[in-house]
């Protein structure tokens, strides 16, 4: 296991009448910089920067950063949630590190996918086959790497969407090959 322990720091990030948010930082006793290209290869729509290096990613509503000596997440409602999210992120790093022999590390800074650009290519029927209520919700999740475009039944199954399918493939698959 790469990360066996960490020191958790939780701070109030935003405090007003309407908002009370925490951010959390796990200070690591080990250097995880070698794991960052494996995270970049595994988690779609994250961004790897060689300066740092740092891998920036999004988990649900949380902006997440992985540095060689720490992991940070924001937009946390409670201290308990902060601990849960950090535990989850540490587990993700450990899982990816354990599978590193099966993963081609990636040190390229990929352009982020834009939800509107993806939405433009979807059928816009809101048929819900993918499990989302609308094509736009699907596009949001697609951009965040939370779903695969293959979950859209019409785009795969109807020849009239053939051109859109090719464009989606070139946007998603060629830029960031699926594992
Ligand atoms: S399956 Fe495709 S067309 Fe149907 S709602 Fe989902 S994204 Fe839209």
């Amino acid at each position: 296991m790469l990360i066996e322990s960490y020191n958790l720091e939780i701070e109030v990030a935003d405090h007003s009448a309407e908002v009370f948010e925490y951010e959390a930082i796990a200070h690591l006793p080990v250097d995880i910089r070698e794991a960052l290209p494996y995270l970049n290869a595994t988690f779609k729509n994250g961004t790897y920067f060689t300066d740092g290096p740092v891998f920036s990613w999004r988990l649900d509503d949380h902006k997440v950063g992985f540095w060689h000596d720490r992991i940070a997440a924001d937009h946390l409602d409670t201290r308990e949630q902060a601990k849960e999210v950090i535990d989850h992120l540490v587990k993700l790093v450990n899982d990816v590190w354990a599978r590193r022999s099966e993963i081609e590390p990636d040190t390229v800074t990929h352009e982020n996918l834009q939800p509107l650009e993806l939405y433009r290519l979807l059928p816009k029927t809101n048929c819900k086959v993918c499990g989302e209520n609308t094509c736009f919700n699907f596009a949001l999740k697609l951009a965040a790497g939370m779903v695969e475009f293959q979950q859209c039944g019409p785009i795969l199954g109807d020849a009239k969407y053939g051109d859109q399918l090719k464009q989606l493939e070139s946007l998603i698959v060629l830029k960031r090959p699926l594992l």
Side-chain angles (χ1 to χ4, degrees):
M1 191 185 294
L2 181 62
I3 304 171
E4 295 194 344
S5 64
Y6 61 82
N7 288 323
L8 183 60
E9 180 186 343
I10 300 174
E11 290 181 350
V12 176
D14 198 349
H15 183 195
S16 67
E18 296 82 30
V19 181
F20 196 99
E21 278 181 14
Y22 295 96
E23 64 182 15
I25 304 173
H27 297 279
L28 309 176
V30 288
D31 189 326
I32 65 164
R33 78 183 68 215
E34 282 186 39
L36 303 186
Y38 293 95
L39 297 179
N40 190 34
T42 303
F43 299 121
K44 300 180 184 81
N45 223 34
T47 310
Y48 178 82
F49 299 98
T50 46
D51 283 351
V54 60
F55 178 64
S56 152
W57 190 50
R58 213 170 171 90
L59 176 69
D60 301 328
D61 291 338
H62 315 293
K63 274 189 286 176
V64 175
F66 299 86
W67 289 263
H68 73 281
D69 60 351
R70 64 195 187 282
I71 300 171
D74 74 356
H75 203 56
L76 299 154
D77 295 332
T78 63
R79 289 177 174 276
E80 290 71 27
Q81 187 194 24
K83 174 86 169 71
E84 273 171 28
V85 168
I86 290 292
D87 277 347
H88 181 61
L89 295 170
V90 166
K91 182 173 182 313
L92 287 178
V93 174
N94 282 333
D95 289 348
V96 167
W97 185 248
R99 292 193 298 110
R100 66 190 180 282
S101 63
E102 306 158 19
I103 302 169
E104 185 69 33
D106 181 0
T107 55
V108 174
T109 301
H110 296 280
E111 235 177 86
N112 280 338
L113 293 166
Q114 299 300 320
L116 277 176
E117 191 179 11
L118 297 168
Y119 175 67
R120 189 175 58 78
L121 297 171
L122 292 173
K124 304 183 198 70
T125 61
N126 300 328
C127 71
K128 304 183 178 59
V129 168
C130 58
E132 297 300 320
N133 281 334
T134 64
C135 294
F136 190 68
N137 279 351
F138 187 76
L140 288 173
K141 291 195 173 176
L142 196 55
M146 295 163 70
V147 295
E148 307 292 357
F149 73 88
Q150 292 92 335
Q151 289 171 237
C152 171
I155 202 92
L156 288 181
D158 194 325
K160 73 182 175 190
Y161 298 120
D163 284 349
Q164 287 156 257
L165 174 60
K166 273 189 204 148
Q167 288 181 62
L168 274 172
E169 280 173 336
S170 70
L171 266 177
I172 299 169
V173 178
L174 297 181
K175 268 187 191 173
R176 188 167 279 267
L178 298 172
L179 294 173

